[in-house]
Amino acid sequence: MTNAKKTIEVKVERTIPAAPAEVFDGWLDPKIPGNPWNMAEKLLLNPEVDGFFYWLVRGNSHYGRFTEMERPSRMQHTWVSPNTLGEESTVTVTFEKQGEDTRMTLVHSGLPDTDGGRGHEKGWNYFLNIFPEQFINVSRGSQEGR
Amino acid sequence: MDQLTDVLTAISHPTRRAILGQLARGPARFLDVAKPYDTALNAVTKHLKMLERAGLIERQKQGREVLISFRGEPLRQVAGWVHEYERFWTERLDQFEQHFKDKKTKEKKA
């Protein structure tokens, strides 16, 4: 009997006003806001191929192993968390020179496609932020009782 | 196409998102909807048809006028579809981008 697990992929892109090497280094520097390591309650980070990380945030442990490290263009590491149900997912970040800026693309693949992984309430709130304030109020009214 | 696909297609275009934003403030007549856009009325009609197919707007006859109004319910499907990690990485990269923007602004001022 096969037990194929359905997975999904999340892709986020940004243009960062700095050179690829600076952005690459910034993504690994826990002092810089926005990278995941910055918000750690406890962090062990060894960003080299076969180096591990342990990242504790909001009481949840995350583990991973760096599998590719090609400064300044690409890094990849595995990602295991309560939301991946203990399975290994993969985070690949690429940094492409775009004039004076860097096109940064983050792909998080191999995520289990489960209700637990989906946004629900959080995703709903996130999405609501995109829409006008008046819509937010209308929708919060209809959201009651979920 | 399923409704989620229809909704995602409908909100993938900036003009259609702008129309939704406008209608979220209250129902409007067709010409009022079309007014802000420097585009042919025919193009606005096509946008409205896509929004209607996705269930994001509805037309109601009031006397001699037809009012177009916004329906938010189908967006609930999209919200459920958004993965926790999509939200997480979006927020992280927003902050990361802002850090470099702030840094560049400070460097220009110095």
Short mmCIF file of all heavy atoms in Angstrom, two decimals, chain A residues 81-128:
data_model
loop_
_atom_site.label_atom_id
_atom_site.label_comp_id
_atom_site.label_asym_id
_atom_site.label_seq_id
_atom_site.Cartn_x
_atom_site.Cartn_y
_atom_site.Cartn_z
N SER A 81 9.92 21.10 11.79
CA SER A 81 9.22 21.85 12.85
C SER A 81 7.91 21.15 13.18
O SER A 81 7.51 20.21 12.49
CB SER A 81 8.92 23.27 12.34
OG SER A 81 7.82 23.23 11.45
N PRO A 82 7.23 21.61 14.25
CA PRO A 82 5.92 21.01 14.53
C PRO A 82 4.98 21.12 13.33
O PRO A 82 4.18 20.22 13.07
CB PRO A 82 5.40 21.86 15.70
CG PRO A 82 6.63 22.37 16.38
CD PRO A 82 7.63 22.59 15.28
N ASN A 83 5.11 22.21 12.55
CA ASN A 83 4.23 22.39 11.39
C ASN A 83 4.57 21.47 10.22
O ASN A 83 3.76 21.31 9.30
CB ASN A 83 4.27 23.84 10.91
CG ASN A 83 3.34 24.71 11.73
OD1 ASN A 83 2.31 24.25 12.22
ND2 ASN A 83 3.71 25.96 11.89
N THR A 84 5.78 20.89 10.22
CA THR A 84 6.09 19.93 9.15
C THR A 84 5.83 18.51 9.66
O THR A 84 6.18 17.54 8.99
CB THR A 84 7.55 20.05 8.67
OG1 THR A 84 8.42 19.61 9.72
CG2 THR A 84 7.90 21.47 8.26
N LEU A 85 5.23 18.42 10.84
CA LEU A 85 4.89 17.13 11.46
C LEU A 85 6.14 16.25 11.62
O LEU A 85 6.08 15.03 11.48
CB LEU A 85 3.84 16.39 10.61
CG LEU A 85 2.61 17.20 10.21
CD1 LEU A 85 1.70 16.41 9.29
CD2 LEU A 85 1.85 17.68 11.44
N GLY A 86 7.26 16.92 11.87
CA GLY A 86 8.50 16.18 12.08
C GLY A 86 9.18 15.75 10.80
O GLY A 86 10.27 15.18 10.82
N GLU A 87 8.54 16.00 9.65
CA GLU A 87 9.14 15.62 8.36
C GLU A 87 10.13 16.71 7.93
O GLU A 87 9.98 17.86 8.29
CB GLU A 87 8.05 15.51 7.28
CG GLU A 87 7.00 14.46 7.55
CD GLU A 87 7.48 13.05 7.27
OE1 GLU A 87 8.40 12.91 6.44
OE2 GLU A 87 6.95 12.10 7.87
N GLU A 88 11.11 16.31 7.12
CA GLU A 88 12.06 17.29 6.58
C GLU A 88 11.43 18.03 5.41
O GLU A 88 10.97 17.42 4.45
CB GLU A 88 13.33 16.58 6.07
CG GLU A 88 14.40 16.47 7.11
CD GLU A 88 15.77 16.18 6.49
OE1 GLU A 88 15.82 15.73 5.33
OE2 GLU A 88 16.77 16.38 7.19
N SER A 89 11.41 19.35 5.51
CA SER A 89 11.06 20.17 4.35
C SER A 89 12.34 20.88 3.93
O SER A 89 13.37 20.74 4.59
CB SER A 89 9.95 21.16 4.71
OG SER A 89 10.36 22.00 5.77
N THR A 90 12.29 21.60 2.84
CA THR A 90 13.51 22.23 2.31
C THR A 90 13.30 23.71 2.04
O THR A 90 12.30 24.09 1.42
CB THR A 90 13.93 21.54 0.98
OG1 THR A 90 14.06 20.15 1.22
CG2 THR A 90 15.26 22.08 0.48
N VAL A 91 14.23 24.52 2.51
CA VAL A 91 14.19 25.96 2.25
C VAL A 91 15.36 26.31 1.33
O VAL A 91 16.52 26.05 1.67
CB VAL A 91 14.29 26.78 3.55
CG1 VAL A 91 14.31 28.28 3.25
CG2 VAL A 91 13.13 26.46 4.50
N THR A 92 15.05 26.85 0.16
CA THR A 92 16.09 27.26 -0.79
C THR A 92 15.98 28.76 -1.01
O THR A 92 14.89 29.27 -1.31
CB THR A 92 15.89 26.55 -2.15
OG1 THR A 92 15.82 25.15 -1.93
CG2 THR A 92 17.04 26.85 -3.11
N VAL A 93 17.07 29.46 -0.80
CA VAL A 93 17.06 30.92 -0.99
C VAL A 93 18.09 31.26 -2.06
O VAL A 93 19.25 30.85 -1.96
CB VAL A 93 17.40 31.67 0.32
CG1 VAL A 93 17.03 33.14 0.19
CG2 VAL A 93 16.68 31.07 1.52
N THR A 94 17.65 32.01 -3.07
CA THR A 94 18.58 32.42 -4.13
C THR A 94 18.68 33.94 -4.15
O THR A 94 17.71 34.65 -3.81
CB THR A 94 18.16 31.91 -5.51
OG1 THR A 94 16.83 32.36 -5.77
CG2 THR A 94 18.21 30.41 -5.60
N PHE A 95 19.85 34.44 -4.52
CA PHE A 95 20.13 35.87 -4.53
C PHE A 95 20.68 36.21 -5.92
O PHE A 95 21.77 35.77 -6.29
CB PHE A 95 21.17 36.21 -3.46
CG PHE A 95 20.80 35.71 -2.09
CD1 PHE A 95 21.12 34.40 -1.72
CD2 PHE A 95 20.14 36.52 -1.18
CE1 PHE A 95 20.78 33.91 -0.46
CE2 PHE A 95 19.81 36.04 0.08
CZ PHE A 95 20.13 34.73 0.44
N GLU A 96 19.91 36.98 -6.67
CA GLU A 96 20.30 37.26 -8.05
C GLU A 96 20.51 38.76 -8.22
O GLU A 96 19.64 39.56 -7.85
CB GLU A 96 19.16 36.78 -8.97
CG GLU A 96 19.51 36.81 -10.42
CD GLU A 96 18.29 36.43 -11.27
OE1 GLU A 96 17.32 35.86 -10.72
OE2 GLU A 96 18.30 36.74 -12.46
N LYS A 97 21.66 39.11 -8.74
CA LYS A 97 21.98 40.53 -8.94
C LYS A 97 21.00 41.14 -9.93
O LYS A 97 20.75 40.58 -11.00
CB LYS A 97 23.41 40.67 -9.45
CG LYS A 97 23.91 42.09 -9.54
CD LYS A 97 25.39 42.10 -9.86
CE LYS A 97 25.89 43.46 -10.29
NZ LYS A 97 25.61 44.55 -9.37
N GLN A 98 20.45 42.28 -9.56
CA GLN A 98 19.49 42.96 -10.44
C GLN A 98 19.85 44.45 -10.39
O GLN A 98 19.35 45.18 -9.54
CB GLN A 98 18.07 42.72 -9.91
CG GLN A 98 17.00 42.88 -10.95
CD GLN A 98 15.66 42.41 -10.43
OE1 GLN A 98 15.11 42.98 -9.48
NE2 GLN A 98 15.10 41.37 -11.02
N GLY A 99 20.76 44.85 -11.27
CA GLY A 99 21.28 46.21 -11.22
C GLY A 99 22.05 46.39 -9.92
O GLY A 99 22.96 45.61 -9.62
N GLU A 100 21.65 47.40 -9.14
CA GLU A 100 22.31 47.62 -7.84
C GLU A 100 21.62 46.83 -6.73
O GLU A 100 22.06 46.84 -5.59
CB GLU A 100 22.27 49.11 -7.49
CG GLU A 100 23.14 49.96 -8.40
CD GLU A 100 23.15 51.42 -7.98
OE1 GLU A 100 22.38 51.79 -7.07
OE2 GLU A 100 23.92 52.18 -8.58
N ASP A 101 20.53 46.17 -7.08
CA ASP A 101 19.73 45.46 -6.08
C ASP A 101 19.93 43.94 -6.19
O ASP A 101 20.67 43.47 -7.04
CB ASP A 101 18.24 45.78 -6.26
CG ASP A 101 17.96 47.28 -6.15
OD1 ASP A 101 18.71 47.96 -5.42
OD2 ASP A 101 17.01 47.74 -6.80
N THR A 102 19.21 43.24 -5.32
CA THR A 102 19.25 41.78 -5.35
C THR A 102 17.83 41.24 -5.39
O THR A 102 16.99 41.63 -4.56
CB THR A 102 19.96 41.23 -4.09
OG1 THR A 102 21.29 41.73 -4.07
CG2 THR A 102 19.97 39.72 -4.08
N ARG A 103 17.57 40.38 -6.35
CA ARG A 103 16.29 39.69 -6.38
C ARG A 103 16.42 38.45 -5.51
O ARG A 103 17.21 37.55 -5.81
CB ARG A 103 15.92 39.31 -7.82
CG ARG A 103 14.53 38.74 -7.97
CD ARG A 103 13.49 39.77 -7.70
NE ARG A 103 12.13 39.26 -7.81
CZ ARG A 103 11.08 39.88 -7.31
NH1 ARG A 103 11.22 41.03 -6.66
NH2 ARG A 103 9.87 39.39 -7.45
N MET A 104 15.68 38.43 -4.43
CA MET A 104 15.80 37.33 -3.47
C MET A 104 14.55 36.44 -3.61
O MET A 104 13.43 36.93 -3.57
CB MET A 104 15.87 37.94 -2.07
CG MET A 104 16.04 36.95 -0.97
SD MET A 104 16.26 37.86 0.59
CE MET A 104 16.20 36.46 1.71
N THR A 105 14.77 35.16 -3.78
CA THR A 105 13.64 34.24 -3.92
C THR A 105 13.77 33.13 -2.88
O THR A 105 14.81 32.47 -2.81
CB THR A 105 13.63 33.60 -5.34
OG1 THR A 105 13.64 34.65 -6.30
CG2 THR A 105 12.40 32.74 -5.54
N LEU A 106 12.75 32.98 -2.09
CA LEU A 106 12.75 31.93 -1.07
C LEU A 106 11.67 30.90 -1.43
O LEU A 106 10.51 31.26 -1.63
CB LEU A 106 12.46 32.54 0.30
CG LEU A 106 12.52 31.59 1.50
CD1 LEU A 106 13.00 32.33 2.75
CD2 LEU A 106 11.18 30.93 1.79
N VAL A 107 12.09 29.66 -1.53
CA VAL A 107 11.14 28.58 -1.82
C VAL A 107 11.18 27.59 -0.67
O VAL A 107 12.25 27.05 -0.35
CB VAL A 107 11.48 27.87 -3.15
CG1 VAL A 107 10.53 26.70 -3.40
CG2 VAL A 107 11.43 28.85 -4.32
N HIS A 108 10.05 27.39 -0.03
CA HIS A 108 9.95 26.40 1.05
C HIS A 108 9.12 25.23 0.50
O HIS A 108 7.91 25.36 0.31
CB HIS A 108 9.28 27.02 2.27
CG HIS A 108 9.45 26.21 3.52
ND1 HIS A 108 9.25 26.74 4.78
CD2 HIS A 108 9.82 24.92 3.70
CE1 HIS A 108 9.48 25.79 5.68
NE2 HIS A 108 9.82 24.68 5.05
N SER A 109 9.79 24.13 0.21
CA SER A 109 9.09 23.01 -0.44
C SER A 109 9.01 21.80 0.49
O SER A 109 9.70 21.73 1.51
CB SER A 109 9.82 22.63 -1.74
OG SER A 109 11.15 22.30 -1.46
N GLY A 110 8.16 20.87 0.10
CA GLY A 110 7.99 19.64 0.89
C GLY A 110 7.17 19.84 2.15
O GLY A 110 7.25 19.05 3.08
N LEU A 111 6.35 20.90 2.17
CA LEU A 111 5.51 21.16 3.35
C LEU A 111 4.29 20.26 3.30
O LEU A 111 3.63 20.18 2.27
CB LEU A 111 5.06 22.62 3.36
CG LEU A 111 6.14 23.65 3.67
CD1 LEU A 111 5.68 25.05 3.28
CD2 LEU A 111 6.48 23.61 5.16
N PRO A 112 3.98 19.59 4.40
CA PRO A 112 2.79 18.73 4.37
C PRO A 112 1.53 19.56 4.17
O PRO A 112 1.36 20.61 4.79
CB PRO A 112 2.79 18.05 5.75
CG PRO A 112 3.77 18.79 6.58
CD PRO A 112 4.67 19.58 5.68
N ASP A 113 0.69 19.09 3.27
CA ASP A 113 -0.53 19.83 2.95
C ASP A 113 -1.64 19.38 3.90
O ASP A 113 -2.52 18.61 3.54
CB ASP A 113 -0.91 19.55 1.49
CG ASP A 113 -2.05 20.42 1.05
OD1 ASP A 113 -2.30 21.45 1.70
OD2 ASP A 113 -2.70 20.07 0.05
N THR A 114 -1.55 19.88 5.12
CA THR A 114 -2.53 19.48 6.13
C THR A 114 -3.26 20.70 6.66
O THR A 114 -2.80 21.82 6.48
CB THR A 114 -1.83 18.82 7.32
OG1 THR A 114 -0.95 19.79 7.89
CG2 THR A 114 -1.05 17.59 6.91
N ASP A 115 -4.37 20.46 7.34
CA ASP A 115 -5.10 21.58 7.94
C ASP A 115 -4.21 22.32 8.93
O ASP A 115 -4.26 23.53 9.05
CB ASP A 115 -6.34 21.06 8.68
CG ASP A 115 -7.45 20.71 7.69
OD1 ASP A 115 -7.29 21.07 6.50
OD2 ASP A 115 -8.42 20.08 8.10
N GLY A 116 -3.38 21.55 9.66
CA GLY A 116 -2.51 22.18 10.67
C GLY A 116 -1.51 23.14 10.05
O GLY A 116 -1.14 24.12 10.65
N GLY A 117 -1.08 22.82 8.84
CA GLY A 117 -0.10 23.67 8.19
C GLY A 117 -0.72 24.88 7.53
O GLY A 117 -0.04 25.85 7.25
N ARG A 118 -1.98 24.80 7.28
CA ARG A 118 -2.63 25.91 6.61
C ARG A 118 -2.94 27.04 7.59
O ARG A 118 -3.04 26.81 8.78
CB ARG A 118 -3.90 25.44 5.91
CG ARG A 118 -3.57 24.57 4.74
CD ARG A 118 -4.82 24.17 4.00
NE ARG A 118 -4.41 23.36 2.86
CZ ARG A 118 -3.97 23.86 1.72
NH1 ARG A 118 -3.89 25.15 1.57
NH2 ARG A 118 -3.60 23.08 0.75
N GLY A 119 -3.09 28.19 7.01
CA GLY A 119 -3.20 29.38 7.85
C GLY A 119 -4.44 29.43 8.71
O GLY A 119 -4.37 29.75 9.87
N HIS A 120 -5.57 29.10 8.18
CA HIS A 120 -6.84 29.28 8.87
C HIS A 120 -6.96 30.66 9.48
O HIS A 120 -6.84 31.64 8.77
CB HIS A 120 -7.04 28.18 9.91
CG HIS A 120 -7.37 26.88 9.25
ND1 HIS A 120 -8.50 26.68 8.52
CD2 HIS A 120 -6.67 25.74 9.16
CE1 HIS A 120 -8.51 25.46 8.02
NE2 HIS A 120 -7.40 24.87 8.39
N GLU A 121 -7.11 30.69 10.79
CA GLU A 121 -7.33 31.98 11.43
C GLU A 121 -6.20 32.97 11.13
O GLU A 121 -6.43 34.10 10.76
CB GLU A 121 -7.44 31.77 12.94
CG GLU A 121 -8.24 32.83 13.64
CD GLU A 121 -9.71 32.77 13.29
OE1 GLU A 121 -10.20 31.70 12.90
OE2 GLU A 121 -10.36 33.81 13.37
N LYS A 122 -4.95 32.47 11.24
CA LYS A 122 -3.81 33.36 11.02
C LYS A 122 -3.76 33.80 9.56
O LYS A 122 -3.53 34.95 9.25
CB LYS A 122 -2.51 32.64 11.40
CG LYS A 122 -2.34 32.49 12.89
CD LYS A 122 -1.11 31.67 13.17
CE LYS A 122 -1.00 31.35 14.65
NZ LYS A 122 0.02 30.35 14.91
N GLY A 123 -3.98 32.83 8.66
CA GLY A 123 -3.96 33.15 7.24
C GLY A 123 -5.07 34.12 6.89
O GLY A 123 -4.87 35.05 6.10
N TRP A 124 -6.19 33.92 7.51
CA TRP A 124 -7.32 34.82 7.28
C TRP A 124 -6.95 36.23 7.71
O TRP A 124 -7.13 37.18 6.96
CB TRP A 124 -8.50 34.29 8.09
CG TRP A 124 -9.81 35.03 7.99
CD1 TRP A 124 -10.57 35.44 9.02
CD2 TRP A 124 -10.52 35.39 6.81
NE1 TRP A 124 -11.70 36.05 8.56
CE2 TRP A 124 -11.70 36.04 7.21
CE3 TRP A 124 -10.27 35.24 5.45
CZ2 TRP A 124 -12.63 36.54 6.31
CZ3 TRP A 124 -11.20 35.74 4.54
CH2 TRP A 124 -12.36 36.37 4.98
N ASN A 125 -6.40 36.36 8.90
CA ASN A 125 -6.00 37.69 9.38
C ASN A 125 -4.94 38.30 8.49
O ASN A 125 -4.98 39.49 8.18
CB ASN A 125 -5.47 37.60 10.82
CG ASN A 125 -6.59 37.31 11.79
OD1 ASN A 125 -7.74 37.66 11.52
ND2 ASN A 125 -6.29 36.64 12.88
N TYR A 126 -4.00 37.47 8.07
CA TYR A 126 -2.95 37.95 7.18
C TYR A 126 -3.56 38.49 5.90
O TYR A 126 -3.22 39.57 5.42
CB TYR A 126 -1.99 36.79 6.87
CG TYR A 126 -1.26 36.92 5.57
CD1 TYR A 126 -0.25 37.87 5.42
CD2 TYR A 126 -1.57 36.09 4.50
CE1 TYR A 126 0.41 37.98 4.22
CE2 TYR A 126 -0.91 36.21 3.30
CZ TYR A 126 0.08 37.14 3.15
OH TYR A 126 0.73 37.26 1.97
N PHE A 127 -4.50 37.74 5.37
CA PHE A 127 -5.08 38.14 4.10
C PHE A 127 -5.93 39.38 4.24
O PHE A 127 -5.96 40.24 3.37
CB PHE A 127 -5.92 36.99 3.53
CG PHE A 127 -5.86 36.99 2.05
CD1 PHE A 127 -4.78 36.41 1.39
CD2 PHE A 127 -6.84 37.61 1.30
CE1 PHE A 127 -4.71 36.43 0.01
CE2 PHE A 127 -6.77 37.65 -0.07
CZ PHE A 127 -5.70 37.05 -0.71
N LEU A 128 -6.60 39.47 5.38
CA LEU A 128 -7.44 40.64 5.60
C LEU A 128 -6.63 41.93 5.58
O LEU A 128 -7.14 42.97 5.19
CB LEU A 128 -8.15 40.53 6.95
CG LEU A 128 -9.32 39.57 7.01
CD1 LEU A 128 -9.87 39.55 8.42
CD2 LEU A 128 -10.39 39.97 6.04
#
